[in-house]
Amino acid sequence: MMAVYTERPQGSRAERLTSFSLDDIAVPTGREEEWRFTPVTRLAPLFEPAHHPDAVTMDVSLAPEVEAEVVPTTDPRLGKAGKPGDRTAVAAWNATQQAVVVTIPEGVAASEVTTLDVRALTSDPEVVQILVHAKPHSQAVVVLDHHGVGTVNETVEMVVEDHADLTVVAVQDWDDGAIHASSHRSVLGEGARLKHVVVTFGGDVVRVTPDASFLAEDGNVEMVGLYFADAGQHLEHRLFVDHSQPNCVSRVTYKGALQGAGAHAVWVGDVLIQAAATGTDTYELNRNLVLTKGARADSVPNLEIETGEIEGAGHASATGRFDDEQLYYLMSRGITEPEARRLVVHGFFAELLSDIDIPEVKERLLASIEEELEHSMTAMTSGGK
Amino acid sequence: MTTLTIADLQVGVATKDGHKEILRGVDLTVNSGETHAIMGPNGSGKSTLASALAGHPKFEVTGGSVTLDGEDVLAMTVDERARAGMFLAMQYPVEVPGVSVANFLRTAKTAVAGSAPPLRTWGREVKDAMERLRIDDAFSQRSVNEGFSGGEKKRHEILQLELLKPRIAILDETDSGLDVDALRVVSEGVNRAQAATDVGVILITHYTRILQYIKPDFVHVIIEGKMVDEGGPELADRLEAEGYDRYFA
């Protein structure tokens, strides 16, 4: 359904408070719209600024054309990709003492993937701040990888200048017990393109909130996400695309599988088309595949449209149970049940995987999906279906 | 030589009003190379017989036996039945999004043969079989049954019959929804499979049309869950002319 608002509705993303100041954004109770699906008590260690420098290490592997530096938080390049929009984001911003800035110089196409490997060494709360700055007419792929049993609050800023083409892949491959919140904020210049990929497999509570906004016309943002929630895991992805400029395009495609008691996935996709954003073309889609009983997926697309002069706007959301007829069909051809399940789940993610055309990342993803399926086979054979 | 023996098979489904009996004691023996047509009006239990033989979980077997060369088929899981040599060409093949036909066929062949088919010869074998069934090359990269027309679905079922080489094949209303040309192509596929592997065929159909292309050795009539008549091909001709009315005296 589509509605053109003359007055902004209550809870409108346009009206949502954003701020760099901790005092402006209160600790949530869980009753707030943006926290209502989240187990806030489990995420509580990230609500206050906390800093344990020995808790996290970062290994950086740069493409030869790409530069990286560690800067103090007073660096004027920071804070240009929008303000924190929730308590964890503002707590992260205020706890940070230094940031890693990755720069792709003007006109340069990086010849290799740049990887930032974040590893938690202890579960003491720590903050990570990263800025990926793609200068005009540059091109690069940057992968952020996360491992370990950490309590990590993160800010990732992406500044994509005019006609730059940036791909950022964030992989949340935490070990059991990890708690993680990450605010991804991006701005796109004229004709800029951002492909933003989020992959979440591991961690007890993981909440990633990617925001995208446009500074000029003809920007293009593609947001792709893949997640696999196991028993007891809460994996949340909350996106916001702010169309404030004319003729920009956004595409959001998130797919997740869930298995096991208490597995919980949350996807919220907010898209705002402001009055000035004529010629906007946007579509968002979320699909969930529930493999076992006891898992729950919440999926909420929101589209707010303040101008009628757009190219297109739509959304789709569906959550389906594992289809026993598919299983029957495959098994009737001699394929064993675990193998049939594997085929169906791979099939569910196939389209997404073909969208992620970075071989290193794709192989990792396939391996992670395999690993998740191993869990479900074990659960099945031990009778825990 | 393979023999499938169905004896006094009783099958029902669970409904909200309790168990509903559909097959009330079916007997049928099928040997390698034979073609048995099972004919009957709507609701007579034809498709239930097909699904029960394949092991669809919806159906409850309450009595009787099914053996394949003495092995208890009813004790086998769905995939074990296929690996034992049974095949069901389904009336309503199921869509499996994201799984390509090529991947599906290779996985199924590996499962029934017990080892992966040799890469060199397998590709050629699939291509040839597809060509004979007038299936376009691009088909192998499409998702299984997704967006297939009715005719494409049926040809894909017969493609599997030719490639998986079962010992006993059950064709559940393979002729429904096919135009004359598609019916001929599909029937030729079944005849080829039988000539090549001596597969025993149970051909379930509502109409006699397909019997012009696939010659049955035996025709059985099923009414209200029981076999009520049996004969040679001439019985099909009589059914064509007279319908099933005389069985409802």
Side-chain angles (χ1 to χ4, degrees):
Chain A
M1 200 171 70
M2 211 183 278
V4 176
Y5 298 109
T6 48
E7 260 174 67
R8 282 173 172 156
Q10 241 188 349
S12 160
R13 280 307 294 245
E15 304 292 325
R16 180 95 44 95
L17 176 69
T18 60
S19 173
F20 289 116
S21 169
L22 197 62
D23 296 337
D24 290 342
I25 303 178
V27 172
T29 61
R31 289 187 296 273
E32 302 78 1
E33 174 58 33
E34 69 266 38
W35 292 100
R36 68 187 176 109
F37 296 115
T38 317
V40 289
T41 50
R42 289 161 75 187
L43 211 55
L46 304 181
F47 289 151
E48 297 300 334
H51 184 41
H52 293 85
D54 296 333
V56 171
T57 61
M58 189 192 296
D59 283 335
V60 177
S61 155
L62 292 174
E65 304 83 1
V66 172
E67 297 154 12
E69 59 199 303
V70 177
V71 303
T73 49
T74 51
D75 192 289
R77 290 171 292 178
L78 302 176
K80 296 286 190 285
K83 299 174 189 170
D86 62 27
R87 181 67 189 192
T88 49
V90 76
W93 187 263
N94 283 278
T96 307
Q97 294 177 359
Q98 55 186 30
V100 174
V101 176
V102 174
T103 306
I104 304 106
E106 180 158 358
V108 157
S111 57
E112 291 171 23
V113 172
T114 291
T115 305
L116 310 182
D117 197 65
V118 176
R119 184 170 289 278
L121 304 176
T122 76
S123 58
D124 291 327
E126 171 58 329
V127 280
V128 171
Q129 184 166 347
I130 295 161
L131 164 64
V132 181
H133 184 185
K135 293 208 165 173
H137 296 279
S138 68
Q139 197 187 330
V141 176
V142 178
V143 176
L144 313 177
D145 222 329
H146 302 87
H147 317 270
V149 190
T151 305
V152 178
N153 200 355
E154 186 181 60
T155 304
V156 180
E157 293 184 287
M158 290 152 280
V159 174
V160 193
E161 293 204 51
D162 295 353
H163 305 287
D165 181 353
L166 176 67
T167 298
V168 171
V169 182
V171 183
Q172 285 63 242
D173 199 7
W174 300 103
D175 292 340
D176 291 349
I179 298 168
H180 178 62
S182 189
S183 170
H184 289 232
R185 305 197 287 273
S186 60
V187 286
L188 285 82
E190 186 181 292
R193 183 174 177 275
L194 172 65
K195 180 163 186 166
H196 185 263
V197 181
V198 172
V199 178
T200 306
F201 283 106
D204 274 12
V205 182
V206 177
R207 189 181 199 253
V208 182
T209 54
D211 292 355
S213 54
F214 300 95
L215 298 173
E217 292 194 31
D218 298 323
N220 183 314
V221 63
E222 184 184 354
M223 300 172 114
V224 177
L226 190 161
Y227 48 91
F228 206 130
D230 280 334
Q233 277 188 309
H234 175 91
L235 306 182
E236 178 168 346
H237 301 90
R238 207 168 256 278
L239 296 83
F240 177 38
V241 182
D242 186 359
H243 281 275
S244 60
Q245 298 285 333
N247 303 323
C248 292
V249 176
S250 62
R251 289 285 178 275
V252 176
T253 312
Y254 268 61
K255 281 190 169 192
L258 299 89
Q259 61 186 4
H264 189 198
V266 177
W267 179 86
V268 178
D270 290 338
V271 174
L272 171 64
I273 303 173
Q274 298 197 26
T278 53
T280 291
D281 179 1
T282 179
Y283 193 80
E284 51 172 356
L285 173 142
N286 176 232
R287 294 221 185 288
N288 293 290
L289 179 61
V290 179
L291 299 176
T292 66
K293 285 180 184 154
R296 187 180 123 195
D298 289 297
S299 178
V300 186
N302 291 309
L303 191 51
E304 270 181 70
I305 304 174
E306 297 177 341
T307 172
E309 295 169 44
I310 55 170
E311 278 295 307
H315 59 71
S317 156
T319 296
R321 293 216 150 270
F322 194 90
D323 186 342
D324 288 336
E325 288 295 324
Q326 291 179 354
L327 204 58
Y328 166 67
Y329 185 74
L330 295 170
M331 288 175 70
S332 78
R333 272 50 178 152
I335 299 167
T336 60
E337 181 170 352
E339 180 72 4
R341 284 178 171 270
R342 204 182 69 83
L343 274 176
V344 171
V345 173
H346 273 278
F348 175 73
F349 285 125
E351 203 183 337
L352 258 195
L353 287 167
S354 70
D355 272 355
I356 302 171
D357 42 12
I358 310 155
E360 297 92 325
V361 174
K362 206 164 171 171
E363 271 168 41
R364 274 276 308 282
L365 290 186
L366 286 170
S368 295
I369 292 172
E370 279 305 313
E371 212 175 295
E372 294 289 342
L373 287 167
E374 282 301 316
H375 292 186
S376 61
M377 303 316 159
T378 317
M380 272 168 46
T381 47
S382 64
K385 190 175 169 183
Chain B
M1 174 77 178
T2 292
T3 304
L4 179 77
T5 311
I6 302 168
D8 193 29
L9 185 64
Q10 295 154 47
V11 176
V13 284
T15 70
K16 61 182 188 339
D17 305 317
H19 182 84
K20 181 178 173 240
E21 197 73 9
I22 300 173
L23 297 185
R24 302 159 195 271
V26 169
D27 298 291
L28 182 68
T29 300
V30 180
N31 294 306
S32 292
E34 293 177 356
T35 300
H36 293 253
I38 313 279
M39 303 194 64
N42 283 331
S44 57
K46 301 188 300 291
S47 284
T48 297
L49 176 62
S51 297
L53 291 175
H56 194 291
K58 188 177 121 185
F59 296 96
E60 300 165 354
V61 176
T62 50
S65 66
V66 179
T67 55
L68 185 67
D69 289 339
E71 298 279 330
D72 183 0
V73 171
L74 297 177
M76 299 178 191
T77 58
V78 174
D79 52 319
E80 285 169 349
R81 294 178 196 204
R83 293 198 298 275
M86 309 261 295
F87 178 85
L88 170 62
M90 294 197 193
Q91 185 180 4
Y92 302 110
V94 182
E95 296 182 3
V96 191
V99 177
S100 71
V101 167
N103 183 19
F104 166 66
L105 292 174
R106 191 168 2 90
T107 307
K109 183 67 185 179
T110 303
V112 294
S115 63
L119 272 179
R120 267 179 318 122
T121 51
W122 176 247
R124 168 65 30 203
E125 202 180 330
V126 173
K127 202 174 175 327
D128 288 349
M130 282 173 60
E131 228 169 78
R132 288 192 299 264
L133 285 165
R134 316 265 164 86
I135 297 173
D136 191 80
D137 261 357
F139 202 81
S140 53
Q141 290 316 311
R142 290 170 66 184
S143 293
V144 170
N145 293 318
E146 195 179 45
F148 288 16
S149 68
E152 284 173 333
K153 281 182 182 168
K154 296 300 171 69
R155 274 184 279 178
H156 181 233
E157 294 294 287
I158 301 308
L159 174 66
Q160 296 168 55
L161 168 67
E162 285 205 65
L163 292 170
L164 299 181
K165 304 190 190 335
R167 295 194 285 158
I168 298 289
I170 303 136
L171 312 183
D172 188 8
E173 304 210 13
T174 296
D175 51 341
S176 69
L178 293 183
D179 62 32
V180 177
D181 290 329
L183 181 64
R184 190 172 42 75
V185 167
V186 158
S187 300
E188 284 168 6
V190 176
N191 293 334
R192 257 195 318 273
Q194 198 163 46
T197 64
D198 209 28
V199 57
V201 174
I202 300 174
L203 183 68
I204 288 171
T205 182
H206 193 78
Y207 303 104
T208 54
R209 200 176 56 153
I210 194 171
L211 304 181
Q212 296 166 18
Y213 301 96
I214 302 173
K215 293 290 173 210
D217 301 300
F218 306 93
V219 175
H220 309 263
V221 180
I222 183 169
I223 304 279
E224 290 174 345
K226 277 187 96 71
M227 298 294 196
V228 295
D229 202 358
E230 186 186 315
E234 74 290 343
L235 179 55
D237 297 334
R238 190 166 171 202
L239 290 171
E240 174 72 23
E242 300 175 8
Y244 299 103
D245 282 352
R246 68 191 171 97
Y247 299 110
F248 291 96

